[in-house]
Amino acid sequence: MGEALMTLENAVRANGDLKLVAYMMAGHPNKKKSIEVGKRLAGSGVAALEIGIPFSDPLADGPVIQRAGQVALENGMTVAGALEVAAAIAGEGVPIVLMTYINPILSHDPRRFAAEAAQAGVAGVIVPDLPVEESEPVAGWLRAASLDTIFMVAPTTAEDRAESICERSSGFVYCVTVTGITGARKELPEGMKELFALVRRHTSLPVAAGFGISRPEHMKAMRGVADAAVVGSAIVDDIDKGKDPVVLVKELLKACR
C-alpha cells in the first residue's frame, strides 16, 4: 500500500470548499473500460473514488446503478475482479473506497476480502446493508487490515443510533440525504442541514453526503454545510451512454470551490 496516499479522512475534509467523491461501478460497461474510466476520474480532481462491486440484489441502488451492476455481472465481474479494478486505479493517487453489500463479502470470505482490499491499495469500505449493531466481526477484520469502515446515517436515524454509527466510523461519516434509493434528483431534500448538524454533534470526522446529488446547484447548496458530496448515478449514466463523465465532474468541481 502506497504510503504517499493521503488518508481518506484528510482527502475528503473540506478546506473552504466542498470535496467531490465520484462513484463508478467496477466492470461497467466491461472490466477494461471501467479501469480506463476509473483512471480518468481519479485524475480529474476528485477527492476520492468510490468503486461499486456489482451484486444481484442491490437494495440501496436506484435504476441507473442497478442496471450498471447487472451489465457488469453479465460481463463476468466478480469480487476478485473488482479488487483488480481497484488495484489498477489505486496507483493514480486518490483514495479508493469500495462500496459493496455484505453477501459478496461473506461469500468471498471477510478476512480474505479485508486482506486483499488492503493489498489492492483500497482506503475504506462502505457496506450499506451491514447495520452497525451487527457489524462485528466483519468491521473488525476490515479495521485490522487498516481499512476505514464508513457507516451511513439516514434522515430516519435516531440520535442515539447516530452516535454509535459515528463512534464506529472512520475515514468519514456518510449521510444519506434521502429516505430511499440512489438516483439523480432535481431538488435536494429538506432537513439536510439538520442531519449534518446531528452527525457533527457526535463526530469530528468529515461528513459526506450522497444519494440524489447530481447538479452544480446541489454543490453550491452544500458548500460550507458538508465536507464532501458523493455523485454516483449522474456519472454512471454518462458512462452508460458512452459519454465522458470527466466533463460532468469538472463542471461539478467548479461549483465546489
Side-chain angles (χ1 to χ4, degrees), residues 9 12-14 18-19 153 166 171-176 192 195-201 203-210 222 225-230:
E9 184 179 332
V12 300
R13 194 180 291 285
L18 180 76
K19 299 292 188 225
V153 177
C166 289
F172 61 90
V173 176
Y174 195 131
C175 285
V176 178
M192 198 175 63
L195 178 64
F196 299 151
L198 163 76
V199 171
R200 290 202 192 276
R201 279 202 291 278
T203 186
S204 58
L205 287 170
V207 175
M222 282 198 307
V225 189
D227 287 279
V230 184

Side-chain angles (χ1 to χ4, degrees), residues 106-193:
L106 295 175
S107 61
H108 193 78
D109 179 77
R111 270 180 275 205
R112 182 180 151 212
F113 176 82
E116 289 174 358
Q119 210 173 348
V122 168
V125 181
I126 303 170
V127 188
D129 62 344
L130 181 63
V132 75
E133 297 81 358
E134 296 164 29
S135 60
E136 298 305 332
V138 175
W141 290 327
L142 294 170
R143 282 194 297 272
S146 299
L147 296 163
D148 283 320
T149 53
I150 298 142
F151 288 99
M152 293 177 151
V153 177
T156 50
T157 306
E159 177 129 14
D160 57 343
R161 189 158 186 268
E163 187 176 1
S164 72
I165 289 169
C166 289
E167 276 169 13
R168 288 177 176 81
S169 291
S170 58
F172 61 90
V173 176
Y174 195 131
C175 285
V176 178
T177 54
V178 291
T179 45
I181 53 174
T182 62
R185 289 168 174 82
K186 288 190 176 73
E187 303 296 326
L188 285 179
E190 295 289 308
M192 198 175 63
K193 289 184 178 173

Side-chain angles (χ1 to χ4, degrees), residues 6 17 44 46-47 64 71 96 98 104 131 136 161 176 201 221 252:
M6 197 187 225
D17 57 358
S44 67
V46 297
V64 170
V71 168
I96 304 289
L98 291 177
E136 298 305 332
R161 189 158 186 268
V176 178
R201 279 202 291 278
L252 294 174

Side-chain angles (χ1 to χ4, degrees), residues 35-86:
I35 290 172
E36 282 167 20
V37 170
K39 285 183 171 179
R40 299 207 55 229
L41 285 170
S44 67
V46 297
L49 183 65
E50 194 182 319
I51 299 178
I53 297 179
F55 177 51
S56 55
D57 189 19
L59 53 90
D61 294 322
V64 170
I65 292 178
Q66 263 186 36
R67 192 172 60 237
Q70 208 44 54
V71 168
L73 289 170
E74 282 164 13
N75 285 328
M77 186 45 60
T78 58
V79 172
L83 289 166
E84 286 168 10
V85 170

